[in-house]
Amino acid sequence: MAWLISVSIGPVQEFIATARRSQDLYAASQMLSQLAEEAARFVAHRVGYDHLIFPGAADEAQLKDMAGVGVANIVLAMDPSSEPPDWLEGVEDHLRAYIRQEGLKLLEPYEAFIDLPMALDQIADFPEIYWAAVALKDEHGYADARRRVAALIRARKATRFFTQPSWAGDRPKSSLDGQREHVLKENLRSEDIPLWVRRAWRLRGAENLSGVDLLKRRWGGGRFRSTVDMAVRPYLQKLDADKRERLKSELQALIDRYDLRSDRDDTDREGTRVSLQDEPALYYPSMWDEFLDPKDARKAAEDVQQVYRELKLELPYPYYCILVADGDRMGDALDHVADRGGMAAHQRFSQNLVAFARQVKGVVEAHDGFLVYSGGDDVMAFLPVTRALDCAAELAQLFRETVNFPNPAASEAAPTEEGRETSHSREGSSPTLSVGVAGVHIMEPLQDALELARRALKAAKEKGGRNALAVVSAPRSGSETMVWGSWEGKGQEKNLKERLDEYIRLYENEEITAGLPYELLNLSLRLKTGVTREVLYWEAVRIIRRKDMRRSTQEVLEAYLAPMMAGESQDFLVEQLARELIVARLFSRKSLKGVTR
């Protein structure tokens, strides 16, 4: 008899979402990933990597390699011993000691300003760690054992203990999550903290931070691509070389004049001179207030505006994208694999997930993006608006090709260079990936932006029917607009991504007027009920044809509405077309080209 064991690390969504800066978001994802990596290492050292099922790491080197992009928060393994795995009781103490030690290394330099013991207690307390084990009599009972151990983990989470934390007190709460008390020394106000410390913690205003918040701000040393970088990059790429270099030179001269400093060098308490490459926020006049007091910031903003006026340039387009993706019906996929091939097939399937996760970073970076997290079938990334849809499509295609069903009934297939199976089960098809993309303003609170992207992913799965894309635009002024559709077009019809690409091209060529989608949306909302679909169709066509557009452009839009006259009720198509045009416009602003005034 053997034992099937599982370890779960949390909290996930709410912990990652507690973010005011992109550093908070990235660090939270990486912290959980490294905790999961350490849990997998703890388990593998006791049962052997050949008995590690998920994550699908064949050895220590591969596990460390996986940690570079992300390790999922569930560890699954088989203990071949006949004795109950009592050693699992040590996993919680091990992980809490591990994260506490990481906190000590990163926060000890600031002991003069914080209650370090309290901060370390908060850090050691934040992970939610659960484990379970079930007896596995033989390999034929693997599928049932996997279901039972998953059920035990769910039951354990539902019956978790609530105890009084050792660090509880009457201090003000954290500005980030509102749960933990802040850890500044008594009688030390946020505004009294030295400038070099404020820079190191990336404090904004009078933020009060808990020990966990401070750990996020120091985790990884701040080496990450910001959301502002995602917004500025396509703008700079579209400028001609002369204008780009003149803009950089003029702005750098302003940086030198105002003597802006940052914390890129943590050993220099005076801070190092800021460069535009490190701080792309300085392309925006409104964001100089992060480096200067209010009076100087207002003057600096005026100077930056003057630079753009003299060069006859528009300001950079202030929008970027958050992409989140998740595999569809992965529980069903695992059931399929486990039922037909047992533990060995599940291990091969996990290795396919590893192959996908290892390639995601390359795909995202090829589209000028920054990968926040990729663990198994779960992906989060920042992208420029010009590249987000193409990146989403490439990830969905990569997932279909890489994360396939091993076929237990077939002969053993030769692995590829990535070590993944190439055969498909005759009883199933490749799993699919749903993707949510949110186009948001750089000043939108990061928590809200992430929630918007997750709502888009939910729409892709629930309204798009899975294997789908959902895109939401959230302009700074105005209401959000969301559209969704399958990655697969019906027959000769184009899918959502292909339609959006076409509308973006028409906008960029100035072949669609900005007011058209709002007229169509207003028409749909007013006449959705009370008229026949023929009347609605012809009124929409009348609006399209009276616009100053090429006939070929009008035909593209009218073709989308044609099913309304095909005999089936398609009353929603006018509203759908309007919403797709509204979303496409956010992804196609002329200011991406760096046009002159």
Side-chain angles (χ1 to χ4, degrees), residues 235 243 285 304-316 594-597:
Y235 171 82
K243 282 280 180 69
V304 174
Q305 291 273 14
Q306 183 62 27
V307 167
Y308 282 97
R309 282 193 292 268
E310 290 176 355
L311 294 176
K312 297 182 179 180
L313 289 173
E314 298 283 353
L315 293 174
V595 297
T596 58
R597 291 183 184 273

Side-chain angles (χ1 to χ4, degrees), residues 15-18 23-33 216:
F15 180 68
I16 293 174
T18 305
Q23 164 71 8
D24 301 331
L25 182 65
Y26 176 70
S29 299
Q30 294 303 309
M31 285 163 64
L32 289 177
S33 175
K216 287 182 181 181

Side-chain angles (χ1 to χ4, degrees), residues 217-285:
R217 294 283 168 91
R218 299 311 304 152
W219 195 274
R223 307 298 179 186
F224 60 97
R225 297 262 302 277
S226 69
T227 56
V228 178
D229 190 16
M230 297 296 104
V232 170
R233 186 167 291 258
Y235 171 82
L236 295 177
Q237 290 172 344
K238 292 291 185 180
L239 287 177
D240 65 69
D242 179 62
K243 282 280 180 69
R244 182 168 57 247
E245 293 309 312
R246 288 182 62 191
L247 176 62
K248 288 181 178 180
S249 176
E250 293 289 341
L251 291 180
Q252 191 63 51
L254 284 179
I255 290 171
D256 294 342
R257 186 200 307 172
Y258 283 95
D259 193 29
L260 301 191
R261 303 273 174 169
S262 78
D263 68 319
R264 291 293 175 179
D265 183 356
D266 298 334
T267 65
D268 182 1
R269 295 194 174 193
E270 294 301 318
T272 55
R273 182 63 59 80
V274 167
S275 72
L276 278 170
Q277 181 177 354
D278 288 336
E279 299 291 350
L282 294 171
Y283 281 99
Y284 296 94

Side-chain angles (χ1 to χ4, degrees), residues 381-392:
F382 300 146
L383 289 147
V385 293
T386 52
R387 309 296 296 275
L389 298 182
D390 288 340
C391 182

Side-chain angles (χ1 to χ4, degrees), residues 575-592:
E575 181 178 349
Q576 180 101 350
L577 174 61
R579 293 185 180 280
E580 290 182 8
L581 289 173
I582 290 171
V583 168
R585 187 166 182 263
L586 183 136
F587 287 79
S588 61
R589 297 292 295 229
K590 289 196 300 179
S591 48
L592 289 172

